[in-house]
Each structure stands twice: as structure tokens, then as C-alpha cells.
Amino acid sequence: MEYKVIFKDSFLEDLERLMKRGVVNNPSIARKVCDLILRMGESLNFFPERHPKVRQRPGIRRFVVKKVFKVFYRVHHDSNTVEVLRCWDGRQERDPRF
């Protein structure tokens, strides 16, 4: 069964912030990383439970891109949707609020 993937405004703002910062101060690499993050988010339409749950946040799952960028999402089985909530640079001190 396929799920509809919804990118929340908070996720899009996080991604834009990463792009503006240049992720690693290189716009070309930043664009590639952001494209990869989006593609991986879109792939949640199939088997979204494949990534681990976040212990401290019930109902939230997470995957990591390029060993640094954490993407947080929530699966709604009743409506067959996946909400991609936040994208966070793991080098920052703490995870985002939801």
C-alpha cells in the first residue's frame, strides 16, 4: 500500500535554511544534499516503517542522510499519509522541537 508523503512547512523551512547556509559552504554540494534529502523523503511512500522510532518522541521516526542530516517524520496509518516534519543538521547541539 502506498502512502501520501506530505512535507510540512517546518521541514521546508529547515531545508531552505540548510541551502542558505550552503550546508558545507558549497552551494553545489548543498543542492545535491537537499535533493537527496527530498528524494529520500519521497521514498517514504512505500514501507515508511523501515526507519527507527525516536525513543524520546512517541510516534516519531527518523532517518539520517550523509551521516549528518536527521529527518524526522510521522506515519498516519488511518489516512495512509506520512508527514515529514523536520530536517536537522546533526552537528547542532540538540534536535528540533515538534
Side-chain angles (χ1 to χ4, degrees), residues 15-63:
L15 205 58
E16 184 177 337
R17 180 180 37 78
L18 291 175
M19 275 293 292
K20 284 182 180 176
R21 271 198 350 212
V23 180
V24 289
N25 298 320
N26 183 325
S28 175
I29 292 175
R31 184 173 311 282
K32 288 178 184 178
V33 169
C34 289
D35 287 346
L36 177 60
I37 292 169
L38 283 170
R39 283 196 314 274
M40 289 183 72
E42 290 169 349
S43 77
L44 294 171
N45 70 332
F46 181 74
F47 191 49
E49 298 90 0
R50 67 182 174 264
H51 299 291
K53 293 179 180 178
V54 178
R55 266 185 284 160
Q56 305 88 333
R57 292 187 165 85
I60 304 292
R61 292 180 178 269
R62 175 188 83 193
F63 64 88

Side-chain angles (χ1 to χ4, degrees), residues 4-13 15 37-44 63 71 82-86:
K4 179 180 180 182
V5 177
I6 300 167
F7 293 102
K8 302 298 280 184
D9 288 341
S10 55
F11 168 81
L12 296 173
E13 290 166 6
L15 205 58
I37 292 169
L38 283 170
R39 283 196 314 274
M40 289 183 72
E42 290 169 349
S43 77
L44 294 171
F63 64 88
V71 179
V82 176
E83 289 180 309
V84 183
L85 305 168
R86 302 298 304 256

Side-chain angles (χ1 to χ4, degrees), residues 58-76:
I60 304 292
R61 292 180 178 269
R62 175 188 83 193
F63 64 88
V64 179
V65 178
K66 296 286 188 184
K67 298 181 183 179
V68 176
F69 304 102
K70 301 176 185 180
V71 179
F72 298 89
Y73 68 97
R74 181 180 299 128
V75 179
H76 297 282

